[in-house]
Amino acid sequence: MSIRRMELTARVKRQGGGVRAVWLRSGALPARVTIFVHGFKNSEYDADNAWRQTHELLRPLVSPSAAASVAHYYWPGDRFENSVGSALWYFKTVGTAVECGESLADWIARAALQRNEMVVQFVGHSLGCRVVLEAVTGLAGNPRVRVGRVILMAAAVPEGLCHKGGTLPGTTGPEELVLYSRADCVLKMVFPPGQWLARHPFNDPTPARGKWRAVGYTGGPNGRWHRAESSGYKHGGYWNSDESVRRIARLLDTKAPQVVPFRVVAARCSPVREVLSHVPLIRWVYRRGG
């Protein structure tokens, strides 16, 4: 396997902190690159751990002749070093995701001025999918940048924003694959109130048609995506699952083994175990009370 890695960041510092303009922290800028974007409440350490395992799983799937380039994009989804503070700050972090997506699009557009054409692809998870979609929208119509394929995993994005008339209606260019799950309790139970708060105090756009449910929970809106596949995964089960990694391998290398449909196991949302694992303060209260 030959996957060259580079690092992009929009973080003021490695743990917590604010947003800065995107810059290339390591590696050489290629003409074709796939950008990995982590989700909400992930520190660089968390993202690195997940991506290290992803690359290990990719190793036997990508052919030795492939010359893929992957950029790890770090954005301050963990507003504070304290995970409790970050969890309670979700509604403000939505605005940070929008800002980081716009900043990423600007950086790619500037980088493309150095060559005739630049091809970018994206793999995003959770609120990182909002970063991805904002970047893709910002690049629409750029004559020097072609967006190839996009994979959105457990997307914490209101499906109403992706309808025609929303702020992320899509274009005819990139091939977008949505991996969603009805077993994702975080998107079912925590996302709607968090998104409502993001709208009302902080003016995130109101979803078209009043559709507040997450793309990563429903797979919708119908007709918006090139393909939507039900995974049956919990919210954190994407980066290092065999099926997801096979799809990433195909994105990086057209000679990778053909993917097969997800082996979806019937599962129901388990609020206590899934939701509390992503809301540290509630988990602490629950344990103290138990």
Side-chain angles (χ1 to χ4, degrees), residues 159-183:
E159 53 176 313
L161 294 186
C162 303
H163 278 288
K164 183 178 181 180
T167 59
L168 303 168
T171 67
T172 57
E175 176 185 314
E176 296 169 320
L177 167 63
V178 165
L179 304 181
Y180 70 97
S181 173
R182 293 280 185 171

Side-chain angles (χ1 to χ4, degrees), residues 2-16:
S2 176
I3 297 181
R4 297 187 298 271
R5 303 185 206 179
M6 54 188 288
E7 292 185 352
L8 298 172
T9 188
R11 303 175 67 102
V12 171
K13 56 182 180 177
R14 289 182 178 270
Q15 297 294 328

Side-chain angles (χ1 to χ4, degrees), residues 16-242:
V19 182
R20 60 170 293 167
V22 177
W23 62 289
L24 179 61
R25 193 165 66 190
S26 72
L29 179 65
R32 182 183 183 93
V33 63
T34 298
I35 301 176
F36 287 3
V37 185
H38 63 75
F40 167 65
K41 204 169 67 62
N42 273 224
S43 66
E44 285 200 27
Y45 177 81
D46 296 330
D48 282 336
N49 275 346
W51 288 336
R52 187 179 302 112
Q53 295 174 56
T54 301
H55 283 287
E56 286 300 315
L57 292 170
L58 283 169
R59 190 181 303 279
L61 299 178
V62 178
S63 61
S65 60
S69 294
V70 170
H72 296 167
Y73 179 47
Y74 304 97
W75 64 283
D78 55 329
R79 178 76 179 188
F80 303 101
E81 294 185 26
N82 184 299
S83 62
V84 174
S86 292
L88 296 176
W89 206 247
Y90 171 83
F91 50 86
K92 185 70 171 68
T93 311
V94 173
T96 301
V98 173
E99 181 182 355
C100 288
E102 294 171 346
S103 181
L104 180 58
D106 289 343
W107 181 85
I108 293 169
R110 291 195 305 273
L113 295 174
Q114 304 171 21
R115 45 182 51 85
N116 292 329
E117 182 187 58
M118 187 171 177
V119 179
V120 293
Q121 304 187 119
F122 296 94
V123 182
H125 175 255
S126 188
L127 191 55
C129 295
R130 182 66 180 270
V131 177
V132 168
L133 290 174
E134 295 288 347
V136 171
T137 300
L139 291 169
N142 188 310
R144 290 179 177 269
V145 180
R146 179 167 64 86
V147 179
R149 289 179 285 176
V150 176
I151 298 178
L152 304 175
M153 306 184 297
V157 180
E159 53 176 313
L161 294 186
C162 303
H163 278 288
K164 183 178 181 180
T167 59
L168 303 168
T171 67
T172 57
E175 176 185 314
E176 296 169 320
L177 167 63
V178 165
L179 304 181
Y180 70 97
S181 173
R182 293 280 185 171
D184 189 330
C185 296
V186 172
L187 293 182
K188 178 181 180 181
M189 302 178 67
V190 179
F191 174 80
Q195 193 63 40
W196 185 89
L197 287 171
R199 165 67 185 96
H200 288 274
F202 295 104
N203 299 315
D204 196 50
T206 301
R209 306 182 189 180
K211 292 187 176 293
W212 291 89
R213 294 188 302 176
V215 169
Y217 180 70
T218 66
N222 292 333
R224 166 66 170 82
W225 316 108
H226 180 267
R227 198 161 70 254
E229 299 182 7
S230 175
S231 68
Y233 291 157
K234 301 296 186 182
H235 192 69
Y238 285 84
W239 280 116
N240 302 317
S241 74
D242 290 340

